[in-house]
Amino acid sequence: MNVPILIARRYFRSKNKRNIITIISNISMIGVAVGTMALIIVLSVFNGLEDLVRTLYGKSDPNLVISATKGKAFDVDRTFLMKLENTPGVALLTEVIEDNALLQYHDRQMVVKMRGLSDNYFGQSQIDANIREGDHRLRRDSLELALVGAGVQHELSITLNNRLAPMRLLYPRNTPGKKTLDFNPENAFNEQNLTAGGVFLIEQHIDDSYIFVPLTFAQRLLGYGTRRTALYVKVGQSFEIEKVKGELRNLLGPDFKVQDSDEQHVSLFKAIKVEKLFVFITFTLILLIASLNIFFSLSMLVIDKKKDISVLLAMGASQKTVRRTFLYVGAIVALVGAATGLILGVTLCWLQQRFGFVSMGMATSVVDAYPVKMQASDLIFTCVSIIVITLAVSIRPALNASKLDLRENL
């Protein structure tokens, strides 16, 4: 029989409901339960938002992106491309040219991100499922077409498949040996016309600034020739992305970067993780404040049970036994509150995942309800935090109890 646990359970189950100590203990349990529940829910919402971002970008992001470590573009030739295509795990290789360009339509204009793509791009992207209007193809027979973001279309009021009024794209002309821009508009810019064939709706940042064009069109307008700003890699289904990424890095050396989807948006995911960390710290401090009631209730319990402690010491109990008894009382109060909070938090998160009863409240949101995803690591960190906080607030009253003078209380 574990005497400290037995005594701690009896103190915890005290039937004297009028005892102020019991009332404070109950308040402590409620505070810990509410704090734990809130922490689980908020962390799960951050996990859901992180997954939502991955899903949104995953619709247009390739599995891997190869780019230059220094500079904006790099030269490619057929030998270089074949070497990459023959790498185990590389199912598809897409050539990409991306740069800023001035887009004019009628009397309106804006600077856009123009992404030139080789014809096999839609073999590795799900963007065709995000076409809001028109067609996803960039080429119909010999006719070159553009895919424009929904925000770009709205800003310029672009009409699809209007060959009589095509879009006009301009890019500064790079004259060899000349570093300044020619002030004569006819000589200063390369100019190409292009018809919009479709509108995509992926994510606001992309929708408001990007247009997709055929690679050959981008080559003519930008004058890139054999240079490319990136190569998109689709990894075969039976291969692991991390393994293929490592092989490509070894093959290409330090002059090239090979990035997976998370690394392509590292700043965004880092911001989400930093916000999640600060939320965790904030709610842990709230749990600490709620747990201070445990300190006060244990301190009052020590005063109330002086005679019990003296009897235990007289019967031969050690100071360690007395100290453990009151530590167990604090632990029981905290763990009952934490267990209740965990059950409520997990239940509410499950209900939100299943039924989505808390909506985003916006008609234009990409999802109807707040995204939620529970992770075992969050539950573990929450439990560890509660244990540390419980020890911190319980150890002082327990030490005071073990140091009581036997002669004063008998």
Side-chain angles (χ1 to χ4, degrees):
M1 180 186 298
N2 193 321
V3 175
I5 291 181
L6 177 63
I7 298 173
R9 288 172 60 187
R10 288 181 65 86
Y11 286 163
F12 176 74
R13 293 178 178 178
S14 173
K15 299 299 182 181
N16 187 2
K17 297 300 180 183
R18 296 179 182 177
N19 193 329
I20 187 63
I21 300 173
T22 304
I23 295 173
I24 295 176
S25 296
N26 290 337
I27 293 174
S28 303
M29 283 188 292
I30 294 171
V32 172
V34 172
T36 303
M37 178 183 68
L39 184 56
I40 293 299
I41 292 173
V42 172
L43 293 180
S44 298
V45 170
F46 271 97
N47 295 334
L49 290 174
E50 190 174 340
D51 260 20
L52 177 62
V53 171
R54 284 195 177 93
T55 302
L56 291 175
Y57 281 110
K59 294 175 182 178
S60 61
D61 284 347
N63 296 139
L64 297 172
V65 173
I66 299 173
S67 58
T69 305
K70 295 180 180 180
K72 186 166 61 174
F74 54 93
D75 287 316
V76 301
D77 54 29
R78 191 58 206 160
T79 303
F80 178 77
L81 295 176
M82 288 185 63
K83 182 170 66 172
L84 294 176
E85 289 171 345
N86 293 331
T87 302
V90 176
L92 196 64
L93 192 66
T94 300
E95 300 174 55
V96 181
I97 297 175
E98 184 174 313
D99 208 337
N100 294 325
L102 180 65
L103 175 60
Q104 293 181 343
Y105 190 74
H106 293 310
D107 58 342
R108 298 185 179 185
Q109 64 183 22
M110 67 180 294
V111 175
V112 296
K113 283 276 190 181
M114 186 182 68
R115 182 179 292 175
L117 301 163
S118 55
D119 295 335
N120 62 0
Y121 172 68
F122 297 101
Q124 64 173 311
S125 172
Q126 303 176 21
I127 192 175
D128 54 329
N130 297 93
I131 300 300
R132 193 183 72 174
E133 187 180 352
D135 197 317
H136 74 276
R137 290 176 296 174
L138 296 177
R139 194 185 301 274
R140 295 177 195 162
D141 298 327
S142 60
L143 178 64
E144 294 179 327
L145 299 168
L147 271 177
V148 299
V152 176
Q153 184 205 27
H154 180 268
E155 180 70 21
L156 302 182
S157 301
I158 297 173
T159 303
L160 299 185
N161 299 311
N162 187 355
R163 299 188 187 183
L164 298 178
M167 298 184 301
R168 183 184 179 199
L169 285 148
L170 297 95
Y171 185 79
R173 181 171 296 169
N174 184 17
T175 304
K178 191 174 183 180
K179 297 183 179 180
T180 59
L181 186 66
D182 196 326
F183 286 97
N184 183 354
E186 295 182 359
N187 301 326
F189 294 95
N190 292 330
E191 180 183 334
Q192 294 285 330
N193 292 336
L194 191 63
T195 302
V199 179
F200 60 79
L201 187 65
I202 301 173
E203 191 271 332
Q204 186 176 3
H205 169 69
I206 298 176
D207 300 339
D208 290 348
S209 57
Y210 272 84
I211 68 167
F212 297 160
V213 302
L215 183 70
T216 51
F217 177 88
Q219 282 179 289
R220 292 197 307 272
L221 178 67
L222 306 180
Y224 267 52
T226 59
R227 292 184 300 150
R228 304 290 181 263
T229 58
L231 296 173
Y232 291 171
V233 177
K234 181 180 180 180
V235 177
Q237 294 183 355
S238 59
F239 292 86
E240 296 181 3
I241 293 179
E242 285 297 320
K243 186 176 180 180
V244 176
K245 180 174 69 173
E247 291 181 359
L248 288 173
R249 283 178 174 174
N250 292 334
L251 177 66
L252 295 172
D255 293 334
F256 292 90
K257 295 182 293 186
V258 183
Q259 299 173 310
D260 57 26
S261 183
D262 283 5
E263 291 170 336
Q264 294 168 41
H265 310 287
V266 63
S267 58
L268 177 60
F269 287 115
K270 187 179 292 185
I272 293 175
K273 291 184 183 299
V274 169
E275 288 181 8
K276 181 180 175 182
L277 175 62
F278 276 100
V279 166
F280 178 81
I281 293 172
T282 302
F283 275 85
T284 302
L285 291 175
I286 294 173
L287 272 175
L288 175 60
I289 294 171
S291 300
L292 288 177
N293 286 323
I294 298 176
F295 172 82
F296 295 123
S297 65
L298 284 181
S299 298
M300 296 176 67
L301 185 64
V302 170
I303 297 171
D304 187 57
K305 301 299 182 181
K306 279 186 178 181
K307 289 186 178 180
D308 292 0
I309 296 169
S310 299
V311 170
L312 286 173
L313 294 173
M315 293 174 63
S318 65
Q319 290 184 339
K320 182 179 178 181
T321 300
V322 175
R323 185 164 57 248
R324 288 171 60 191
T325 298
F326 286 92
L327 281 174
Y328 287 149
V329 173
I332 291 172
V333 172
L335 292 178
V336 169
T340 304
L342 284 173
I343 292 171
L344 290 174
V346 170
T347 301
L348 289 174
C349 289
W350 179 82
L351 290 173
Q352 177 69 9
Q353 283 181 319
R354 187 70 182 269
F355 303 107
F357 57 87
V358 181
S359 66
M360 295 291 287
M362 295 183 294
T364 57
S365 60
V366 293
V367 290
D368 296 329
Y370 274 97
V372 173
K373 180 184 178 182
M374 290 177 285
Q375 289 183 352
S377 59
D378 293 337
L379 301 180
I380 292 172
F381 282 125
T382 300
C383 292
V384 170
S385 299
I386 293 170
I387 292 171
V388 172
I389 290 171
T390 303
L391 287 174
V393 300
S394 302
I395 193 166
R396 187 63 189 177
L399 287 172
N400 291 339
S402 65
K403 293 178 181 179
L404 287 177
D405 192 336
L406 173 63
R407 293 170 296 179
E408 293 181 0
N409 300 296
L410 280 178

